[in-house]
Amino acid sequence: MNIPTINQNIQEYKNQLLTHSLYEKVKTIDDLHCFLENHIYAVWDFMSLLKALQSKLTCTSTPWLPIGNPEMRYLINEIVVAEETDLALDGSRQSHFEMYLDAMQECGAKTQDITAFIENVKATQNIFVSIKQSNLHPNVKSFLDFTFRVIEEGKAHNIAAAFTFGREDLIPSMFTEILKNFQINFPETDLSKLIYYFERHIELDADEHGPMAMQMISELCGTNETKWKEVEEVSKQALEKRIGLWDAIKEQITQKELELI
């Protein structure tokens, strides 16, 4: 098995995401807020996938040791630099999560819920307890739970699968669909930070991070068919969880519409 085979086998899941009816549902500023207030959890847990990979593929403790393949150390460290300390719209350094929070605040979306959730994670010291205790939609809980189960399992190739096929490879096309909708429906709203965030991700993931992540998968799996099969399965599950997240946001927007009738 190889990258093209996996891409072929997961294409139907990617198509479901790229043609999801959620994109057409985001028509009002309240709809946009609902989208952002749910999607922020995917922005946040992505960082944990990233740091889990860095922990697996490089030395992040002392005394330092030359762990693993230098090429993979370079790949993951390059992605970490951009995701954790990228240039924001104003020229300052921010993680992409912090950029997203700023963009939410700029357009009036609530950030209190994600902030409270992170505080709860600090307090419980157990992500699974925090997910269970939260008031999040069941699909959002399931999305987060899947991410951290993959991380807890500790298999680098599976973490890379969720990271690559569930996120990096998907984001340029998916975010392009989202951006089209924003620019049509919200011409009067200042979404400069949000548009910058999405455009930055499209640029980085299409040109740099996506290919780097694919190379990482190939290096981690090599000629091990068991690993390749596990990568395919995790990739499918990651895409299913993203579809579930999109379903949850669409459901919440629809519910709000019904309440206004």
Side-chain angles (χ1 to χ4, degrees):
M1 198 179 287
N2 54 24
I3 297 289
T5 305
I6 289 181
N7 271 323
Q8 184 179 347
N9 293 346
I10 65 174
Q11 191 59 48
E12 64 176 289
Y13 298 92
K14 291 167 75 172
N15 290 343
Q16 284 183 58
L17 277 164
L18 296 178
T19 59
H20 200 286
S21 53
L22 169 64
Y23 307 122
E24 295 172 2
K25 269 283 182 189
V26 183
K27 295 175 182 175
T28 70
I29 196 68
D30 283 344
D31 298 341
L32 177 61
H33 290 168
C34 183
F35 174 84
L36 299 176
E37 288 161 14
N38 283 278
H39 181 236
I40 186 65
Y41 292 91
V43 177
W44 175 73
D45 80 338
F46 170 82
M47 299 301 294
S48 289
L49 282 171
L50 175 64
K51 299 303 282 188
L53 275 174
Q54 188 182 35
S55 177
K56 289 285 176 190
L57 303 178
T58 74
C59 184
T60 56
S61 59
T62 55
W64 180 86
L65 299 168
I67 287 171
N69 180 324
E71 189 65 27
M72 282 205 286
R73 293 201 296 263
Y74 169 77
L75 292 174
I76 195 63
N77 283 335
E78 276 289 297
I79 296 173
V80 168
V81 167
E83 296 288 349
E84 204 168 29
T85 54
D86 201 6
L87 279 174
L89 187 58
D90 65 1
S92 64
R93 291 281 174 188
Q94 283 187 314
S95 69
H96 284 184
F97 172 72
E98 289 160 321
M99 277 188 204
Y100 202 94
L101 282 180
D102 278 359
M104 288 175 70
Q105 290 169 338
E106 180 183 61
C107 72
K110 287 191 305 180
T111 58
Q112 297 95 316
D113 290 348
I114 180 66
T115 302
F117 178 80
I118 291 172
E119 287 304 314
N120 186 262
V121 171
K122 292 178 189 174
T124 64
Q125 295 289 300
N126 187 316
I127 183 61
F128 300 108
V129 170
S130 292
I131 294 168
K132 191 172 181 180
Q133 287 179 350
S134 74
N135 294 319
L136 294 169
H137 187 287
N139 288 19
V140 182
K141 288 186 177 185
S142 182
F143 183 92
L144 289 169
D145 188 78
F146 170 76
T147 296
F148 288 98
R149 295 286 171 198
V150 171
I151 290 170
E152 186 181 55
E153 185 186 26
K155 293 183 179 180
H157 59 285
N158 285 346
I159 299 170
F163 178 85
T164 302
F165 293 104
R167 310 293 179 104
E168 294 291 81
D169 179 51
L170 183 70
I171 280 171
S173 300
M174 191 169 64
F175 280 8
T176 299
E177 289 301 312
I178 293 169
L179 263 183
K180 281 182 198 169
N181 196 36
F182 287 176
Q183 290 161 336
I184 292 168
N185 289 332
F186 309 106
E188 305 302 318
T189 307
D190 186 1
L191 298 178
S192 53
K193 288 184 178 179
L194 192 61
I195 289 168
Y196 176 81
Y197 169 87
F198 282 120
E199 288 181 340
R200 184 71 179 136
H201 253 288
I202 290 166
E203 174 192 0
L204 279 174
D205 293 344
D207 296 340
E208 299 175 32
H209 294 180
M212 283 180 175
M214 290 295 178
Q215 187 179 340
M216 189 163 51
I217 292 273
S218 295
E219 292 277 354
L220 286 169
C221 291
T223 58
N224 187 318
E225 277 301 307
T226 301
K227 286 185 177 181
W228 279 110
K229 285 174 184 173
E230 288 183 354
V231 161
E232 181 181 332
E233 184 55 36
V234 169
S235 300
K236 286 178 179 177
Q237 289 175 15
L239 294 171
E240 285 174 344
K241 296 300 179 185
R242 172 72 75 160
I243 292 166
L245 175 63
W246 270 197
D247 289 343
I249 301 173
K250 180 189 171 186
E251 180 189 313
Q252 290 172 65
I253 291 172
T254 302
Q255 185 61 39
K256 288 183 179 183
E257 287 173 352
L258 293 173
E259 288 169 2
L260 293 172
I261 294 172

